[in-house]
Amino acid sequence: MTHARRFVGWDLTDPFARNPRPVDEAIMDGDGRVRFSQRVWPARLEPEALAEAFTIQPGDVVVVDGPQALANPGAKVRDAERKLRAPGRTPDVLPVPGAPFAGFVRGSVLLFAALRVHARVPMLDLDTPSLPDARLFEAFPGATWRALAVEKLGGKSTPEGRARRQALLESSGLRFEDSRTCTHDQLDAAVCAWLGWLTRTRPGEVTAVGLPLTQDTDGTLREGRILDLDRA
C-alpha cells in the first residue's frame, strides 16, 4: 500500500476572538512518530489568505477538528453531529458573533471552503482509491476518545485526563517526540492525525459518518461527513 508522506491533525481555535490563539498542529509520519507545531490565523480571514496560512503539502492527509459544513437549510444540526453527539450544533447559516461556538464554527467552515476552492484540496470518501494528492477530512475527537476508552478518562483539562488520553494513543502505536504530557489541544490534534493515518493503513477500522455532501454556490458545504472509529 502506498502511504501519504504525512498525516496532519489540526485542533482549531476561534479566529474571531479578540486575541486568537494559534492552532495546534500534529504531524505524524507513517511510522507513528508525532511532532507538534502551530499555525497562526491570518489577520484577514479572506479565502486566499486562509488557504495560504494553512498550506497543505502534496500527499498530506489532513484531518481537522471542526465542522466542514453547515446543516442543510431548515435543519438545526448536521446529521453527522447528531449521530456522534457533537456539542457544536452547527446550524444551517453561519452563526452570528457571540452565539455559542460562533467564531469556531465560522472559522472552520470558512477554512474548509477556502482549502477546497482556493487551494483545490479535495475531500476524500473512504471508498475512493488512494491517490497521491493531498486529502482533507473532518473529525470530532470527542467521539473518538469515547470509542477508544475502556474506562472513564477524566477531564481533558486535568493532568490525569491528559495522561490517560496520551497513553491510549501510545498504546495505539503513536510515539511523541516530546516525552512530556501533551496539552489537551495537542492530544486532539494528534488523534485527528491518527484517524488520517488509519484511512490509509487500516481503512477497515475507520468510518465516515453523515450524509452525502452538497455545495452552495459560494463554496460552502452542506452536511458533510465526520471520521470516526468503526464500532461494528
Side-chain angles (χ1 to χ4, degrees):
M1 179 182 293
T2 300
H3 301 304
R5 184 163 55 87
R6 304 192 312 169
F7 303 92
V8 182
W10 291 337
D11 181 68
L12 295 188
T13 58
D14 181 1
F16 295 92
R18 179 171 297 180
N19 296 301
R21 292 187 294 112
V23 171
D24 278 297
E25 176 181 66
I27 302 174
M28 176 178 171
D29 64 23
D31 294 326
R33 290 173 296 186
V34 179
R35 63 181 176 86
F36 294 108
S37 60
Q38 291 184 323
R39 302 270 182 150
V40 178
W41 291 103
R44 296 172 61 89
L45 298 177
E46 297 174 348
E48 295 86 349
L50 285 169
E52 183 176 351
F54 288 83
T55 303
I56 295 175
Q57 297 182 14
D60 284 353
V61 175
V62 180
V63 183
V64 184
D65 172 14
Q68 64 183 242
L70 297 173
N72 275 323
K76 295 182 179 180
V77 62
R78 294 189 302 154
D79 183 64
E81 291 180 345
R82 182 181 294 108
K83 290 177 178 177
L84 292 180
R85 292 181 290 153
R89 302 296 181 191
T90 307
D92 60 343
V93 295
L94 287 175
V96 297
F101 299 99
F104 174 71
V105 170
R106 289 171 65 90
S108 184
V109 170
L110 293 175
L111 176 60
F112 266 96
L115 291 173
R116 291 183 64 256
V117 176
H118 293 273
R120 301 185 182 279
V121 180
M123 284 183 295
L124 181 69
D125 289 335
L126 296 183
D127 56 357
T128 303
S130 177
L131 297 172
D133 55 342
R135 295 291 163 175
L136 185 63
F137 291 98
E138 175 189 348
F140 174 47
T144 305
W145 291 123
R146 288 197 301 265
L148 276 174
V150 295
E151 60 182 12
K152 289 186 177 181
L153 295 176
K156 65 180 183 180
S157 61
T158 66
E160 295 81 7
R162 293 194 300 272
R164 287 173 181 166
R165 285 167 173 79
Q166 185 166 334
L168 273 178
L169 292 180
E170 290 172 340
S171 68
S172 299
L174 279 69
R175 293 179 289 119
F176 297 93
E177 285 191 350
D178 193 331
S179 60
R180 294 174 299 177
T181 301
C182 304
T183 68
H184 65 79
D185 290 336
Q186 289 175 330
L187 288 168
D188 280 351
V191 84
C192 286
W194 178 65
L195 284 171
W197 178 80
L198 288 178
T199 67
R200 294 298 178 94
T201 59
R202 303 177 189 172
E205 297 184 16
V206 67
T207 188
V209 178
L211 300 173
L213 301 169
T214 60
Q215 181 176 334
D216 292 349
T217 56
D218 63 356
T220 300
L221 295 171
R222 296 284 170 176
E223 285 297 335
R225 295 186 175 94
I226 304 176
L227 289 184
D228 190 29
L229 294 181
D230 192 337
R231 309 177 194 209

